[in-house]
Amino acid sequence: MIRLDNISKQNGHQILFIEASMGVQKGEKVGLVGPNGAGKTTLFRMITGQEQPDDGAVVIDPGMTIGYFSQDVGEMAGQSAVAAVMDGVGPVSALAAEMASLEAAMVDPDQADRLDANMERYGEVLERFQELDGYALEARAREVLAGLSFSQDRMDGDVGLLSGGWKMRVALARILLMRPDAMLLDEPSNHLDLESLIWLEAFLKAYDGALLMTSHDRAFMNRIIGKVVEIDGGSLITYSGDLDFYDQQRALGEQQRQAQYERQQAMLAKEIKFIEKFKARASHAAQVQSRVKKLDKIERVEAPRRRQSVQFEFKSPPRSGEDVISLRNVHKVYGTQTIYESLDFLVRRKERWCVLGANGAGKSTLLKLVAGAITPDQGAVNIGASVKMGYFAQHSMDLLDGEETIFESLDSSFPQAGQGALRTLAGCFGFSGDDVEKPCRVLSGGEKARLVMAKMLFDPPNLLVLDEPTNHLDMATKEMLVAALADFEGAMLFVSHDRHFLAALSNRVLELTPDGVHQYGGGYTEYVTRTGQEAPGLHPGG
């Protein structure tokens, strides 16, 4: 269906692929993995024909339709979100737009003289719209957008007024509505809330075409794929199974290669020792020559490349009082929408609360109230004795000074820390070697998030308030963060759509629903077991 045969590809000085091969068959769901910069996006672009391999061939079955979702969504404006989604399917949305303008023209007194011509044209357009099953398509477009958490107002509003994250959802909805023979999805889980993520998971499980996808969300990927293709040192290596199986097989392969390497090194050392010992003796000349020739012919086993996994260890934060945050009788209203009414909520030392709720339920509002970024309309938010707070929100990344380098940014935050300590800190958060000389203005979203997190955790607070901290992080950084926060001794209040992060770190759940606020002892895993749902208002399979 899709085949890459012995492809080679170089970008500038960087060699991405050397005689690499892989295939995706009809109905297969494949996860594409590899470190940042390994060539995942380039591989997608070669399959879609946007780039060509330097050598080798990309073979696609004739007549096959491919939908490609990338992080680069381009400009969208001047039409509704529904129309923008239907656009991806072809002429239907143009017909819908013409019908709407003809309907307006037919009731416009200034165009009364054109009424007959407009009515005739309307009949033609309507007939074509119905032939293409336009009404059913619009209903399906609305269904997909609703699955991705769009309200009716947002569906019908100008797509140009949406934020980048919501435009991403429109671009994703366009591919899903197409239902092509194959979908290439580059990080579809970015920018999605938990409810949308669970809906998308169910949609992709039911999709009967071929799927090749990348995602930094382990739980999401694991539930969909049945095969992994890894980009490793220019090769494409295929594993059958999910990410957990891939991890086991990879570790096993590394152990075997290490053992093979060590055996060969021991044998080489023995041979070299013999050659060194007897090379000056004429009586052993023939044996020495024969062993030298043998060594020349041996194919050397390479030592397995160790994946760099860095660990970040917290200094112990100062101890706070027992009551860390208390909200008493808090009211908060935005326009006509009441977010909180008489909310009472207490966070105690060592409690780690995850906040769950659909879009607009007030998750970020709660975190802003606690962080003092906004004030309640009524009631009180009290921060306890000796509490030192670290607050991470999406806007935190905009506060970095674009002219400073990563190292200068760390140094200006911690002038007392030595160079070595700051370089170690940078390394833990994925900035090694010359990376620390990059100016902040050129950093990607993920790099900015890592830098802000590094600054927040170096001199640790005893209360962490985190709003979607893993949004831009790759799997390796996420794992490092989960491992570091698992040993964190303070209190936490956080919002995340990453179920691995939620399950690993929470020991309390605050659920925001239209019926009110519910508190659960036990973490996210216990919450799922007790309620039978992974997110408020969602039920298994629904």
Side-chain angles (χ1 to χ4, degrees):
M1 200 168 187
I2 297 174
R3 243 180 35 247
L4 277 67
D5 286 342
N6 292 319
I7 56 155
S8 296
K9 180 73 175 172
Q10 189 165 343
N11 270 354
H13 293 301
Q14 190 187 9
I15 296 170
L16 294 176
F17 300 104
I18 308 163
E19 297 184 351
S21 300
M22 63 163 278
V24 183
Q25 300 306 317
K26 183 172 169 44
E28 277 189 330
K29 297 186 168 71
V30 183
L32 182 63
V33 301
N36 281 347
K40 297 190 285 288
T41 300
T42 302
L43 189 134
F44 282 141
R45 290 172 62 83
M46 286 194 292
I47 292 172
T48 56
Q50 291 166 277
E51 288 192 37
Q52 298 301 318
D54 301 333
D55 211 352
V58 177
V59 184
I60 312 288
D61 280 1
M64 184 175 160
T65 54
I66 295 179
Y68 173 39
F69 169 76
S70 75
Q71 294 295 301
D72 182 15
V73 295
E75 263 316 300
M76 295 183 185
Q79 58 184 158
S80 69
V82 170
V85 169
M86 286 163 63
D87 250 4
V89 182
V92 174
S93 87
L95 293 170
E98 191 178 350
M99 278 164 58
S101 86
L102 287 166
E103 284 162 10
M106 288 188 293
V107 296
D108 182 353
D110 293 342
Q111 297 192 47
D113 57 332
R114 290 196 43 76
L115 183 62
D116 289 346
N118 284 339
M119 283 177 72
E120 189 181 340
R121 176 64 186 153
Y122 187 78
E124 292 166 7
V125 175
L126 176 63
E127 189 180 349
R128 182 74 184 121
F129 186 73
Q130 287 172 327
E131 273 173 24
L132 292 171
D133 211 6
Y135 288 115
L137 188 70
E138 181 169 339
R140 274 176 49 216
R142 287 182 182 277
E143 194 183 316
V144 170
L145 284 168
L148 296 174
S149 299
F150 276 75
S151 62
Q152 291 300 325
D153 288 351
R154 204 169 243 150
M155 287 182 204
D156 293 317
D158 184 346
V159 72
L161 301 175
L162 297 176
S163 69
W166 285 99
K167 282 180 180 165
M168 289 271 188
R169 296 185 195 211
V170 171
L172 178 59
R174 195 182 263 186
I175 305 295
L176 301 181
L177 185 68
M178 254 175 86
R179 282 201 168 252
D181 299 323
M183 282 199 250
L184 311 178
L185 303 181
D186 195 359
E187 297 293 346
S189 51
N190 276 8
H191 303 285
L192 294 187
D193 53 74
L194 188 54
E195 288 72 17
S196 305
L197 206 56
I198 292 164
W199 177 86
L200 178 59
E201 194 177 278
F203 185 99
L204 293 177
K205 275 185 186 166
Y207 166 64
D208 56 7
L211 174 66
L212 180 65
M213 65 184 274
T214 64
S215 174
H216 291 328
D217 189 318
R218 189 181 183 88
F220 172 73
M221 190 118 110
N222 244 355
R223 293 170 187 217
I224 297 166
I225 63 169
K227 181 169 155 181
V228 173
V229 171
E230 179 191 38
I231 304 177
D232 184 18
S235 298
L236 289 166
I237 305 163
T238 301
Y239 299 82
S240 56
D242 62 10
L243 285 174
D244 293 338
F245 180 76
Y246 152 74
D247 282 342
Q248 290 164 10
Q249 291 301 304
R250 196 177 197 292
L252 196 64
E254 267 188 8
Q255 279 172 10
Q256 286 168 347
R257 278 201 303 279
Q258 184 67 32
Q260 215 180 342
Y261 172 73
E262 284 169 7
R263 277 199 304 275
Q264 192 182 65
Q265 289 299 305
M267 182 273 290
L268 292 173
K270 196 171 152 191
E271 293 292 323
I272 289 164
K273 193 176 173 187
F274 179 90
I275 292 164
E276 288 300 315
K277 186 174 177 184
F278 294 109
K279 68 182 177 187
R281 296 192 194 174
S283 58
H284 286 73
Q287 282 173 288
V288 166
Q289 277 308 108
S290 125
R291 292 195 183 200
V292 167
K293 279 181 185 164
K294 182 177 147 191
L295 283 191
D296 284 344
K297 284 180 185 165
I298 286 175
E299 195 171 322
R300 304 294 161 110
V301 175
E302 279 187 37
R305 280 188 306 281
R306 296 244 173 257
R307 281 284 165 97
Q308 283 183 318
S309 63
V310 286
Q311 297 303 320
F312 176 73
E313 287 187 14
F314 271 105
K315 299 176 199 161
S316 290
R319 186 182 166 126
S320 68
E322 283 304 312
D323 291 358
V324 178
I325 312 159
S326 73
L327 281 72
R328 299 239 185 282
N329 193 32
V330 164
H331 291 247
K332 188 67 191 172
V333 176
Y334 284 125
T336 56
Q337 192 185 4
T338 300
I339 307 287
Y340 291 116
E341 197 171 356
S342 308
L343 173 67
D344 290 325
F345 175 52
L346 175 66
V347 175
R348 298 174 68 83
R349 200 169 75 83
K350 294 203 169 182
E351 288 182 343
R352 296 147 170 249
W353 288 86
C354 69
V355 186
L356 302 180
N359 258 337
K363 301 188 294 289
S364 291
T365 301
L366 176 69
L367 270 51
K368 285 175 184 169
L369 284 165
V370 167
I374 56 173
T375 51
D377 300 330
Q378 199 180 313
V381 178
N382 292 311
I383 304 297
S386 308
V387 169
K388 178 186 171 192
M389 187 190 309
Y391 175 43
F392 177 90
Q394 296 308 304
H395 76 266
S396 316
M397 302 189 286
D398 303 332
L399 305 178
L400 294 168
D401 180 343
E403 294 313 305
E404 286 187 330
T405 64
I406 291 170
F407 187 81
E408 286 165 351
S409 187
L410 292 171
D411 194 38
S412 56
S413 294
F414 309 109
Q416 305 306 314
Q419 270 225 11
L422 292 183
R423 283 188 179 273
T424 303
L425 171 69
C428 285
F429 283 85
F431 302 113
S432 54
D434 294 342
D435 284 350
V436 294
E437 301 308 327
K438 276 188 189 173
C440 292
R441 68 172 184 280
V442 305
L443 300 183
S444 67
E447 289 171 324
K448 284 180 179 171
R450 298 202 311 258
L451 178 54
V452 170
M453 203 77 72
K455 288 176 144 197
M456 190 168 71
L457 300 181
F458 183 63
D459 183 17
N462 49 28
L463 166 62
L464 286 175
V465 179
L466 308 175
D467 194 355
E468 294 286 5
T470 63
N471 244 8
H472 299 279
L473 302 183
D474 59 36
M475 272 192 211
T477 311
K478 239 187 257 189
E479 289 297 336
M480 182 278 290
L481 193 60
V482 166
L485 291 176
D487 297 328
F488 175 62
E489 295 166 13
M492 281 172 71
L493 178 68
F494 65 95
V495 173
S496 175
H497 64 245
D498 188 294
R499 283 162 288 179
H500 175 53
F501 194 84
L502 289 168
L505 296 174
S506 59
N507 58 23
R508 301 281 187 283
V509 175
L510 186 72
E511 181 191 51
L512 312 177
T513 73
D515 312 328
V517 176
H518 309 288
Q519 302 187 18
Y520 294 85
Y524 176 72
T525 308
E526 289 87 344
Y527 164 84
V528 173
T529 306
R530 282 171 63 180
T531 62
Q533 60 192 30
E534 292 192 286
L538 278 183
H539 297 281

